[in-house]
């Protein structure tokens, strides 16, 4: 494993499979009466959130606490950042306080990369979503969910997603989830298709390891998983598509469209869902929709990432005390 | 006044000559060893001799596009520090852009900048006046008053912003005809570049940074050359950055439209691949483009489609760049490295000889800006504005040695060729042996 997790592209196939396998071990902790490991006891992790994100922050916080880390939550709103303090100063202040790792969510693409490479701090940096760039732990939890559903919970151990056909639908242009997923799913051997109106496909996408389609209906029968991306309300007024109604008709997922998918295929969404536009309530509430599982899996994945980045070179659950030696700390 | 004999320099990269400076002018030029001091009633003791064998002598460089930041952002640069940087880079005259605080949109502000330039003593400073009040693009500034001021402004630009209103641009082009002025356009269609952070393309798609499409520049250039043709005026296009822009300017010139264009050194060398580092030192307006664009710009500069090299020297204090990409200021310093970058990209690639460099970095910018006394031939009777370059020099750029107040260079740690050993402003050395006098 590398020192930081900034981009899904940083992960090799073996790195990614190791994280997924470790997350399976971590998931078992959730089934215990006491959902806690002593693995990161004595370490302090700061969740540095420059952008609101209740779901991701709580997921990281739950993961950190289950690994017994001390947690500092920093939200830019109402902090010194709103008084003009820079990312650099904030990060250095936290490091001076003895933070061992930084989980950062930032509205600016590249901010976690800058934090990890600029020499401002020494601590490992985990990207919890940066601008329209990447959200690697989201991609990992998505891949974890797909592997469990499409390959099997135990049968999937050690395996990737080779040959699985994954379709991502919606606002690819502004989606860090899409960028990370395309990279990671490709690394794991899946065939990825992006479906979006041309206005929401980035110029330069031809270099991405995926197919592009402007129509959803023809792709659905060939999909093992269909991931609906969130369309932000502000995009609706920026001429990316004519109306919410038209978007919904062309790119929304309803029961009729879901019926075109193979029987085993699943429906995914990184949340929060815009019901009625991106996805109908009928689809969102169906057994094929994995949204709630994705949330649960997010905690396991983040536990795995934190564990591996902060010292775990040995099985996480079986010998947790041995995981943090001075050499691999 | 002292007399200086520059001995054995290759004038415009050609034959080795001796050049005698007497006071503010070039007194004589002759083949090496043929200046007869006694014939000029001079003894060897009367003359300071500079041995310049192997060095290239150029007319003092002229930069049509410099940000000196004074008044208002003296933490980035002042007229004094900026002109010291200019002299270090071989410049004897710079045109100071109007986006200061307050904006240089009145006779008072341009006269202030002009006077500060006079006092600096390192380099002539010719202020550029804003086209519109406050650079807001809504109302024409008092262009005539700025021209009639002591600063005698002839170049007008809202640089940093585009004059995007076609009517305002048309009126500006028409109005400055009254006194031979020129409008220098920062071509950037604002709606197409909302939220733009870097060149739109493969790299922006990957990095998730807002794309800055080439067509945002090209569409404005296309409009403006047609406007210039329509009203019979001349227009200058700042910092071309795309292959498409080159094609439009080439077409306009072939049609007889009175258009001139500039390219920056960084657009001749650097590409958007560098943005993968997310290092804001590469954040600049217009953005770094692709290898294909860089090659097109070099060819266009070589064949004369692009008339001049201009630095777009844009100093920023450290803290404005030592941050995340989106928060960082756009721009890079360039006065002290421009000639080296041109040597590397144009001379050492065989695209341009030194006479061509002199045309594009001295004669033509002075001509476009109607600046008397600069960009003149290296010959007897002309003002002694001269730059001596040790072209065989190779060195690693260390911004700690910059004379500019700011250090935001993309070349730190990069080896570049060439070194300005001497700069003369009207016969007075402003740089001696590579150091400011």
């Amino acid at each position: 494993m590398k020192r930081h997790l900034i981009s899904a592209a940083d992960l090799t196939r073996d790195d990614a499979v190791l994280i997924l396998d470790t997350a399976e071990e971590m998931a078992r902790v959730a089934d215990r009466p006491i959902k806690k490991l002593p693995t990161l006891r004595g370490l302090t992790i700061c969740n540095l959130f420059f952008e609101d994100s209740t779901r991701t922050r709580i997921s990281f916080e739950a993961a950190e606490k289950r690994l017994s880390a001390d947690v500092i939550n920093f939200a830019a709103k109402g902090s010194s950042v709103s008084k003009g303090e820079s990312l650099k100063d904030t990060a250095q202040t936290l490091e001076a306080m003895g933070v061992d790792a930084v989980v950062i969510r930032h509205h600016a693409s590249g901010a976690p990369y800058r934090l990890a490479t600029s020499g401002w701090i020494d601590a490992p940096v985990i990207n919890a979503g940066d601008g329209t760039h990447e959200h690697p732990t989201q991609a990992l939890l998505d891949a974890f969910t797909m592997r469990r559903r499409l390959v099997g919970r135990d049968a999937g151990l050690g395996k990737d997603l080779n040959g699985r056909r994954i379709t991502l639908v919606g606002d690819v242009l502004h989606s860090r989830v899409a960028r990370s997923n395309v990279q990671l799913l490709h690394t794991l051997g899946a065939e990825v298709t992006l479906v979006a109106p041309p206005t929401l496909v980035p110029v330069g996408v031809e270099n991405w390891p995926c197919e592009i389609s402007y129509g959803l209906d023809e792709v659905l029968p060939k999909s093992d998983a269909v991931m609906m991306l969130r369309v932000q309300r502000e995009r609706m007024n920026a001429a990316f598509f004519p109306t919410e109604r038209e978007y919904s008709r062309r790119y929304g997922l309803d029961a009729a469209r879901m019926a075109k998918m193979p029987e085993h295929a699943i429906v995914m969404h990184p949340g929060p869902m815009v019901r009625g536009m991106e996805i109908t309530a009928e689809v969102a509430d169906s057994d094929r929709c994995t949204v709630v599982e994705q949330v649960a899996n997010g905690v396991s994945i983040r536990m795995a990432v934190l564990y591996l980045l902060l010292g775990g070179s040995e099985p996480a659950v079986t010998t947790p005390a041995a995981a943090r030696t001075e050499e691999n700390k | 006044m002292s007399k200086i004999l520059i001995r054995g320099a290759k004038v415009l990269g050609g034959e080795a000559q001796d050049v005698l400076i007497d006071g503010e002018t070039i007194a004589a030029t002759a083949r090496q060893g043929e200046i007869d001091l006694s014939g000029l009633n001079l003894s060897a003791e009367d003359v300071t001799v500079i041995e310049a064998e192997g060095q290239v002598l150029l007319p003092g460089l002229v930069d049509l596009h410099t940000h000196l930041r004074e008044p208002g952002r003296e933490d980035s640069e002042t007229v004094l520090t900026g002109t010291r940087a200019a002299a270090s880079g071989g410049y004897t005259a710079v045109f100071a852009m109007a986006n200061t605080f307050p904006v240089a949109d009145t006779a008072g502000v341009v006269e202030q900048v002009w006077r500060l330039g006079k006092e600096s003593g390192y380099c002539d400073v010719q202020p550029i006046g804003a086209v519109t009040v406050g650079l807001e693009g809504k109302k024409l500034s008092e262009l005539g008053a700025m021209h009639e001021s002591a600063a005698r402004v002839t170049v007008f630009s809202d640089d940093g912003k585009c004059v995007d209103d076609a009517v305002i641009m048309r009126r500006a082009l028409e109005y400055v005809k009254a006194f031979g002025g020129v409008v220098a356009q920062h071509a950037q269609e604002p709606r197409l570049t909302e939220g733009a952070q870097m060149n739109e393309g493969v790299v922006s798609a990957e990095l998730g940074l807002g794309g800055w499409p080439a067509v945002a520049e090209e569409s404005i250039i296309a409009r403006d050359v047609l406007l210039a043709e329509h009203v019979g005026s001349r227009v200058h296009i700042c910092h071309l950055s795309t292959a498409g822009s080159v094609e439009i300017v080439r077409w306009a010139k072939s049609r007889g439209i009175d258009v001139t264009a500039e390219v920056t050194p960084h657009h001749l060398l650097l590409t958007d691949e560098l943005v993968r580092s997310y290092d804001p030192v590469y954040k600049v307006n217009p953005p770094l483009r692709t290898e294909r664009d860089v090659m097109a710009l070099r060819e266009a500069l070589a064949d004369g489609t692009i008339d001049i090299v201009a630095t777009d020297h844009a100093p920023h204090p450290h803290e404005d760049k030592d941050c995340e990409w989106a928060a960082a200021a756009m721009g890079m310093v360039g006065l002290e490295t421009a000639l080296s970058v041109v040597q590397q990209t144009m001379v050492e690639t065989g695209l341009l000889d030194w006479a061509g460099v002199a045309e594009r970095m001295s004669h033509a910018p002075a001509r476009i800006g109607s600046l008397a006394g600069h960009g003149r031939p290296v010959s007897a009777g002309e003002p002694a504005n001269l730059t001596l370059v040790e072209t065989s020099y190779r060195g690693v750029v260390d911004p700690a040695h910059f004379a500019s107040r700011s250090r935001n260079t993309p070349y730190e740690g990069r080896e570049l060729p060439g070194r300005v050993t001497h700069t003369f402003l009207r016969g007075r050395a402003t740089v001696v042996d590579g150091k400011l006098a």
Side-chain angles (χ1 to χ4, degrees):
Chain A
M1 281 291 287
K2 295 191 160 48
R3 215 171 106 66
H4 310 284
L5 179 59
I6 306 298
S7 160
D10 296 340
L11 299 171
T12 64
R13 183 232 172 241
D14 289 349
D15 286 338
V17 170
L18 174 64
I19 294 170
L20 301 186
D21 288 353
T22 306
E24 284 291 3
E25 293 182 55
M26 296 298 181
R28 288 186 203 118
V29 177
D31 299 333
R32 295 179 177 183
I34 298 171
K35 300 176 177 59
K36 205 152 172 117
L37 295 173
T39 313
L40 299 184
R41 194 162 54 201
L43 296 186
T44 304
I45 300 172
C46 179
N47 299 321
L48 189 54
F49 275 56
F50 289 83
E51 187 182 67
D52 293 338
S53 170
T54 309
R55 185 182 300 241
T56 303
R57 189 185 57 72
I58 291 175
S59 181
F60 267 106
E61 190 174 346
E64 289 150 4
K65 287 182 170 167
R66 282 189 192 171
L67 293 172
S68 302
D70 295 318
V71 180
I72 298 171
N73 284 315
F74 176 95
K77 219 176 243 179
S79 74
S80 51
V81 171
S82 56
K83 297 174 198 158
E85 185 172 272
S86 69
L87 171 62
K88 177 184 175 181
D89 290 339
T90 304
Q92 288 182 333
T93 301
L94 292 170
E95 180 154 90
M97 291 176 183
V99 165
D100 296 292
V102 175
V103 174
I104 177 173
R105 159 72 69 106
H106 204 286
H107 45 78
S109 299
Y113 184 88
R114 273 294 271 167
L115 195 58
T117 58
S118 58
W120 298 336
I121 61 168
D122 287 330
V125 175
I126 297 164
N127 182 3
D130 61 328
T132 54
H133 178 221
E134 286 226 34
H135 195 353
T137 58
Q138 176 71 43
L140 283 161
L141 76 86
D142 291 336
F144 184 73
T145 306
M146 288 177 212
R147 195 177 75 166
R148 277 191 153 191
R149 282 285 197 124
L150 301 175
V151 186
R153 185 171 178 157
D154 295 319
L157 282 172
K159 294 196 178 139
D160 54 24
L161 293 168
N162 192 38
R164 309 289 159 168
R165 292 169 300 185
I166 317 296
T167 301
L168 278 67
V169 186
D171 185 358
V172 176
L173 180 64
H174 302 99
S175 175
R176 51 192 170 213
V177 175
R179 278 175 180 76
S180 286
N181 263 292
V182 168
Q183 293 293 345
L184 183 69
L185 293 171
H186 173 70
T187 301
L188 290 171
E191 294 168 20
V192 182
T193 303
L194 300 176
V195 178
T199 49
L200 291 173
V201 175
V203 169
V205 79
E206 61 272 14
N207 278 31
W208 293 12
C210 60
E211 298 292 317
I212 309 291
S213 172
Y214 302 139
L216 178 56
D217 291 306
E218 56 269 34
V219 183
L220 289 175
K222 297 178 284 187
S223 302
D224 297 309
V226 176
M227 186 187 301
M228 307 305 292
L229 300 170
R230 191 160 66 89
V231 179
Q232 292 177 359
R233 293 265 177 203
E234 60 264 31
R235 312 285 177 224
M236 295 169 202
N237 300 320
F240 286 102
F241 47 87
T243 62
E244 195 171 330
R245 194 172 95 108
E246 175 155 321
Y247 180 89
S248 183
R249 280 162 61 141
R250 291 180 60 81
Y251 298 100
L253 190 62
D254 58 13
R257 281 205 165 111
M258 188 166 67
K260 294 181 182 176
M261 294 164 54
E263 259 183 44
H264 69 274
I266 55 172
V267 175
M268 307 179 74
H269 198 297
M273 293 182 282
V274 180
R275 285 177 185 243
M277 181 189 168
E278 300 156 359
I279 193 165
T280 62
E282 195 181 359
V283 175
D285 296 332
S286 78
D287 292 342
R288 301 173 77 171
C289 183
T290 62
V291 171
V292 178
E293 277 172 63
Q294 286 170 263
V295 174
N297 292 341
V299 178
S300 305
I301 279 291
R302 285 164 183 135
M303 287 172 75
V305 167
L306 289 163
Y307 168 73
L308 291 167
L309 281 183
L310 292 176
S313 60
E314 308 204 11
V317 178
T318 48
T319 55
R324 280 179 46 233
T325 63
E326 278 310 302
E327 296 81 62
N328 58 19
K329 190 173 170 182
Chain B
M1 283 291 269
S2 63
K3 297 166 185 64
I4 300 166
L5 179 63
I6 302 169
R7 201 141 64 186
K10 292 184 278 185
V11 175
L12 306 189
E15 196 182 346
Q17 294 185 39
D18 290 346
V19 174
L20 182 67
I21 299 170
D22 185 359
E24 296 190 357
T25 56
I26 298 170
T29 66
R31 289 206 343 219
Q32 189 172 7
E34 290 187 0
I35 284 187
D36 180 8
L37 292 178
S38 59
L40 294 164
N41 291 325
L42 294 170
S43 69
E45 297 80 57
D46 297 328
V47 178
T48 304
V49 177
I50 295 170
E51 297 294 351
E53 208 153 322
Q55 297 193 44
V56 169
L57 186 65
L58 300 172
L61 306 184
V62 177
D63 188 19
L64 196 66
H65 193 145
T66 300
H67 296 274
L68 291 177
R69 303 293 190 217
E70 189 177 8
R73 283 307 302 267
E74 290 82 356
D75 57 331
S76 308
E77 195 80 283
T78 64
V79 172
L80 180 61
T81 59
T83 51
R84 284 166 65 91
S88 297
Y91 288 88
T92 53
V94 297
F95 285 75
M97 271 299 172
N99 59 340
T100 49
F101 302 96
V103 172
D105 57 3
T106 62
V109 179
V110 293
E111 282 191 358
Q112 179 194 359
V113 173
W114 175 77
R115 196 180 62 253
L116 287 166
K118 287 268 175 224
E119 289 166 2
S120 84
Y122 283 93
C123 180
D124 284 349
V125 174
Q126 179 58 47
I128 291 175
V131 178
T132 65
V133 175
L135 308 176
E136 288 178 351
K138 292 177 181 152
K139 189 173 181 300
L140 287 182
S141 306
E142 290 189 346
L143 307 172
M146 287 190 274
H147 178 71
E148 287 161 10
S149 73
R152 303 298 296 170
V153 176
T154 56
V155 182
F156 299 91
S157 180
D158 276 1
D159 182 62
K161 288 185 174 177
C162 180
V163 182
D164 65 306
D165 183 318
V167 172
I168 295 286
M169 187 62 183
R170 174 194 171 148
R171 299 289 181 244
L173 288 168
E174 286 175 314
Y175 196 79
V176 300
K177 283 201 292 182
F179 41 84
V182 63
V183 178
Q185 175 68 293
H186 173 121
Q188 180 189 348
E189 210 292 318
R191 283 282 280 154
L192 285 172
T193 52
E194 274 174 15
Q197 298 277 329
M198 67 169 296
N199 180 47
E200 183 176 77
V202 169
V203 182
S204 68
E206 204 176 301
L207 299 185
L209 290 173
W212 190 311
V215 70
E217 176 174 309
E218 294 155 3
S219 59
I220 292 291
I221 297 174
R223 183 200 73 178
D224 286 353
V225 294
L226 291 172
L227 281 175
E229 179 180 48
H230 183 64
V231 302
S233 188
R234 67 185 178 116
V235 64
H236 176 77
I237 310 295
C238 296
H239 39 52
L240 255 64
S241 71
T242 79
S245 298
V246 166
E247 285 310 308
I248 295 163
V249 171
R250 189 171 282 138
W251 171 83
K253 286 189 167 183
S254 74
R255 198 175 154 97
I257 298 171
D258 199 353
V259 56
T260 54
E262 68 188 36
V263 63
T264 71
H266 47 270
H267 286 111
L268 292 172
L269 180 62
L270 309 175
T271 71
D272 64 353
E273 289 290 330
L274 292 161
V275 182
R276 290 184 191 283
S277 66
Y278 281 112
D279 186 342
V281 77
Y282 300 114
K283 186 174 176 183
V284 66
N285 178 351
L288 300 177
R289 305 286 189 181
T290 66
E291 186 73 15
R292 177 177 160 268
D293 294 306
V294 166
M295 291 305 151
L297 292 165
R298 287 185 188 182
E299 281 171 29
L301 183 64
D303 71 20
T305 301
I306 295 176
D307 301 82
I308 65 168
V309 175
T311 67
D312 195 6
H313 176 79
H316 291 292
H318 181 66
E319 59 272 22
D320 285 9
K321 287 286 195 179
D322 192 28
C323 55
E324 57 275 26
W325 180 276
M330 288 188 278
M332 39 184 75
V333 291
L335 285 168
E336 291 168 83
T337 49
L339 193 57
S340 292
V341 174
V342 170
Q343 181 177 334
Q344 180 173 329
T345 57
M346 301 300 296
V347 180
E348 295 186 354
T349 54
L351 288 166
L352 215 54
D353 58 15
W354 285 105
V357 173
E359 167 63 19
R360 286 154 184 80
M361 296 186 77
S362 180
H363 301 307
R367 203 162 54 236
I368 293 166
S370 307
L371 187 63
H374 289 273
R376 302 292 305 160
V378 182
S379 54
E382 296 288 352
N385 295 317
L386 296 166
T387 297
L388 202 49
V389 191
E390 186 185 348
T391 56
S392 59
Y393 177 84
R394 291 287 181 281
V396 173
V397 176
D398 179 2
H401 297 140
F402 280 1
S404 171
R405 179 162 282 185
S406 293
R407 303 278 183 268
N408 50 307
T409 175
Y411 308 118
E412 182 172 6
R414 192 185 272 253
E415 187 182 281
L416 289 177
R419 180 177 77 110
V420 172
T421 62
H422 292 75
T423 308
F424 299 94
L425 176 63
R426 281 184 292 280
R428 188 176 66 77
T430 55
V431 173
V432 176
D433 292 329
K435 294 188 172 63
L436 283 164

